[in-house]
Amino acid sequence: DAKTTQPNSMESNEEEPVHLPCNHSTISGTDYIHWYRQLPSQGPEYVIHGLTSNVNNRMASLAIAEDRKSSTLILHRATLRDAAVYYCILRGNTPLVFGKGTRLSVIA
Amino acid sequence: KAGVTQTPRYLIKTRGQQVTLSCSPISGHRSVSWYQQTPGQGLQFLFEYFSETQRNKGNFPGRFSGRQFSNSRSEMNVSTLELGDSALYLCASSHLPGTGVEQYFGPGTRLTVT
């Protein structure tokens, strides 16, 4: 399975933008980049995914490097409800493989 | 549209017993996956089903089994329970299996084995 590298933890102030990085230097041409998050005591929640181009949805934006070896999940205005573990996952024709993710803390 | 539902939400079993967990996917979704989450191992993939066929299986012993019905509902079974099977079992559904498809997770079933 293709691997991703994420910081263990990050901290953000409320109402500030948050940039969550993910490195995936061994990505293959057909791998999609998926982001999920898991809030305390809940199942994982889909956030966004993309292949080559940057993507936006109501929750977040995904910026993908031109060589696709890294990506950044952008939360435009962090709220206390965004405190969660964020997982960056490469998905080929295989099931989702979750790593340890980045634990995001949001400070009021 | 209703989300993924899992029953029961909580379960306590004794070592050696067996257990069956149920998952109802989002209406119209035909692919169901199961995951186990423990503090030590994190989220680990168990099975993936599509159109009543198992497409993928994770690295778990044969005591773990599953199936999918014609209405896309899925069950997983764990026989001869061990203490280490205590975990949160999560079900996720998607329209189809595949790389560019998002999955939607249920709240999970918390299994405690004593």
Side-chain angles (χ1 to χ4, degrees), chain B residues 58-90:
Chain B
N59 189 24
F60 279 82
R63 300 184 297 106
F64 291 80
S65 63
R67 59 178 175 168
Q68 186 181 33
F69 302 97
S70 59
N71 62 359
S72 296
R73 193 176 67 83
S74 178
E75 287 181 348
M76 66 163 283
N77 184 278
V78 187
S79 62
T80 319
L81 284 166
E82 301 177 359
L83 295 178
D85 298 332
S86 294
L88 181 66
Y89 289 88
L90 293 154

Side-chain angles (χ1 to χ4, degrees), chain A residues 48-83:
Chain A
I48 200 167
H49 75 279
L51 184 61
T52 56
S53 303
N54 295 343
V55 185
N56 299 297
N57 66 21
R58 63 175 181 80
M59 287 183 68
S61 295
L62 176 60
I64 301 173
E66 199 168 330
D67 64 6
R68 302 213 318 132
K69 292 186 177 182
S70 65
S71 61
T72 303
L73 178 70
I74 303 165
L75 306 180
H76 296 286
R77 284 181 74 233
T79 70
L80 296 178
R81 290 170 49 203
D82 291 322

Side-chain angles (χ1 to χ4, degrees), chain B residues 34-38 41-47 54 57-65 76-78 84-89:
Chain B
W34 288 89
Y35 297 82
Q36 180 197 65
Q37 185 171 29
T38 60
Q41 299 297 317
L43 270 156
Q44 292 186 288
F45 168 75
L46 280 159
F47 327 97
Q54 187 179 89
K57 187 177 191 302
N59 189 24
F60 279 82
R63 300 184 297 106
F64 291 80
S65 63
M76 66 163 283
N77 184 278
V78 187
D85 298 332
S86 294
L88 181 66
Y89 289 88

